[in-house]
Amino acid sequence: MLTNVFAWLGGIGLATQLVLAETAPATRIALILLLLVVLCSWKWAGGDRWFVAAAEAAVLAGSVLVLPVPQPAVAFLFGVVTRRVLSGGSSRALVKAIPAPVGYVAGQFTSILTAVRTENVDLDNLMASLLPLLGLVIGSAALHATVSAARHERDARQAVHAVIDASPVGIFLVDDTGTSILRNARAQAMFTQHNGTREVQCRHQMNLVRCEECGRAAGPVELNVDGDVFEIHTAPVPQESRPELTLVVAVDVSERRRQEDALRFRAEHDDLTGLASRAHFLHLMETALGTGEPVGLLVVDLDQFKEVNDADGHDAGDEYLREFARRTAQVIPHGVTAARLGGDEFAVLATRSGTVESARLATRMLAALTTGPEREIRASIGVAVSAPGTTAAELLRDADAAMYIAKKEGGARAKVFQDEIGARVQARQRDKADLRTAVHGDQMVVHYQPIIELATSRVTGAEALVRWQRPDRGLLRPDEFIGLAEETGLIVPLGDRVLEAACAQGTRWSREGRALGVTVNVSTRQLSSSAFVTSLRGVLRSTSLPAEKLTLEVTESVWADEAAMQGLMAVRDTGVQVALDDFGTGYSSLSYLQRYPFDVVKIDRSFVGALDETGRTASVVRCVLDLADVLGARTVAEGVETQDQAEWLRREGCDYAQGYLFGKPAHPDDWDHQPAVQGAGR
């Protein structure tokens, strides 16, 4: 600013001298007007144009020629050059300052030439006017370098401030009292809106810089301010002339924490029910057991989930699981964790809970499941409580064993684990292992029960019935191990072995001159396998048994399995006969009988055994016989034990019968001793 004042004063002084100069008016007026143009350009155009620099040079050259002394021109020259050097930040400002001294020198040389011609040269005046010019040039160059350096430093400082202000992190400069003496816009937005102070407070509600506990922290300090999470980093900034400062950098990690929490929640919770996941639950159980305090564990298995899934579809099954989770969450107390272990199996972890408290919790859960606003949820619950030294695997095993007993006893109940339950479960595990050995070894034998034609009392076939020749328990009937085979999945290889043995036996009888068909029971799981029909064709081919000599016997439960029904229809395409076993005791449906016709309908032994007890049973059996006749199916009565039952069935039109009256299941080698084979019962 002072430079501009000096330049203006020099310009006004020069204009005054020009007005008072004794020279041609036209020359003076021209110089004064040109000087006014220069001064006006300084005021309104900034004076940063080349024509202004040229005008300044012209004014100086003319002034040196017109004025009797050079001092007014020198003063104006100093003002012009200094103003340009200080006002421009680039080298162009220094270049534009050159025309002024050039004009001054040109005027001086013109004066010298004129003085030489007139022999009126004053060397003292000449040196007095030229020597300041040399100092001006040197000083201007030095001044320009200084100004440029200052401007670069200012620009760099402004750039640093711009970067700091534009930074997405909050930056503070804090003195030794903890008060921030400098903060950027982000820091202002992050903290001022929360506490309005110039201090950064830590989680202990103290000044961050002066808090000893935060100062001892190995890494960054994390602050939670009104729901926003900031990560605070600090670093000392040494100072020579003032107390040490501290740089505080605050990073907003709120969104990252929310994403981490969301990922952690998804990892620790089941997507469908929102309960804890299996992995997280097992981790919590390990942690709880590590405290040494008693831990109660409830293992829950839904009794009707498969029926819901099969009857109503998977969407209904998912909603069934979600409803269980909702009711469970409502009844378990704070601090108790419920989890979905997989499928329809759940678990509840109650820390610091003994047997009585855990059993009460199971009772409350059962009550909540059966009294909800929607459908009743039936569940079997096993309860186990840890002892000192119990591992998570052992506790889970015990609770699972108790749940298994609850399910075996009818479900919809809770069972507390006791030592005898463990013994039963261990025995069950031994049974599974022994059954696997038996199925893949030579302990399974097939017995055959004769099937007779009631009209002729002739043996026309035999039903294959598997027995387990268990080394430690003797010969076991199917009802003692078929359920275990279904549970373990061994029913499929077992069924395949029985089918192959029965077909081979039918072929042997045919070679012996006995035209006997064989009937084999097949499970729903066998039929639902895509490989079953291929396996069936292979057995018929390898044993050379005609397809019409084989009857596969299924129960009404096959109607609940679409894959099994498709397998059954494929069986019919092979020419093999299909029999419906235990008709009237399960999912009997006339629509199914019409859509999927059977070759044989077997009347359950419960109806045959009650023929002598009530006339209503006789009417039911007559209806079954009439229905089979309408459908074109043959009928076989099971469990016939008396001659009166056989005679009644013969009179009513039943086609075939089997039972102890005609012979018990026996090994083929013992068939010659069967009453029916000997001709008894005719």
Side-chain angles (χ1 to χ4, degrees), residues 537 568-576:
R537 293 180 187 275
L568 192 62
M569 298 305 293
V571 166
R572 288 181 59 86
D573 294 338
T574 66
V576 172

Side-chain angles (χ1 to χ4, degrees), residues 338-379:
R340 183 186 180 198
L341 300 183
D344 62 338
E345 189 177 9
F346 297 83
V348 176
L349 180 68
T351 57
R352 296 187 294 276
S353 179
T355 302
V356 174
E357 296 84 357
S358 299
R360 286 175 181 169
L361 177 58
T363 302
R364 290 199 301 271
M365 285 183 59
L366 288 174
L369 294 175
T370 56
T371 58
E374 304 295 333
R375 66 163 64 181
E376 176 187 14
I377 298 178
R378 290 173 55 88

Side-chain angles (χ1 to χ4, degrees), residues 31-60:
L31 290 173
I32 292 171
L33 291 176
L34 191 57
L35 180 58
L36 290 176
V37 169
V38 170
L39 295 178
C40 290
S41 69
W42 289 356
K43 175 65 177 177
W44 289 289
D48 195 30
R49 304 293 179 84
W50 276 106
F51 81 86
V52 178
E56 293 169 348
V59 168
L60 286 167

Side-chain angles (χ1 to χ4, degrees), residues 368-511:
L369 294 175
T370 56
T371 58
E374 304 295 333
R375 66 163 64 181
E376 176 187 14
I377 298 178
R378 290 173 55 88
S380 300
I381 302 179
V383 181
V385 177
S386 67
T390 302
T391 66
E394 292 169 343
L395 186 61
L396 191 60
R397 179 201 63 197
D398 293 346
D400 196 63
M403 182 274 295
Y404 170 78
I405 298 300
K407 187 174 285 290
K408 292 291 288 184
E409 292 180 355
R413 67 193 65 201
K415 199 77 175 178
V416 178
F417 177 82
Q418 297 173 346
D419 290 340
E420 55 267 27
I421 290 179
R424 290 170 63 181
V425 171
Q426 290 178 3
R428 185 74 170 177
Q429 295 300 324
R430 286 195 300 271
D431 289 344
K432 291 180 180 179
D434 291 348
L435 180 60
R436 183 171 287 103
T437 301
V439 169
H440 297 292
D442 57 357
Q443 298 177 19
M444 292 297 176
V445 294
V446 182
H447 287 190
Y448 299 87
Q449 186 174 34
I451 300 174
I452 70 154
E453 185 179 30
L454 286 172
T456 63
S457 296
R458 182 171 57 89
V459 178
T460 60
E463 180 178 359
L465 299 168
V466 68
R467 300 289 189 265
W468 180 4
Q469 188 66 54
R470 191 168 182 177
D472 58 341
R473 293 178 55 184
L475 195 65
L476 302 183
R477 296 166 53 88
D479 55 5
E480 297 181 80
F481 62 86
I482 288 297
L484 189 61
E486 290 276 6
E487 180 182 334
T488 58
L490 291 170
I491 191 67
V492 174
L494 175 60
D496 291 343
R497 295 196 63 174
V498 173
L499 176 62
E500 185 174 1
C503 290
Q505 183 60 47
T507 300
R508 281 193 293 271
W509 279 330
S510 178
R511 291 171 182 167

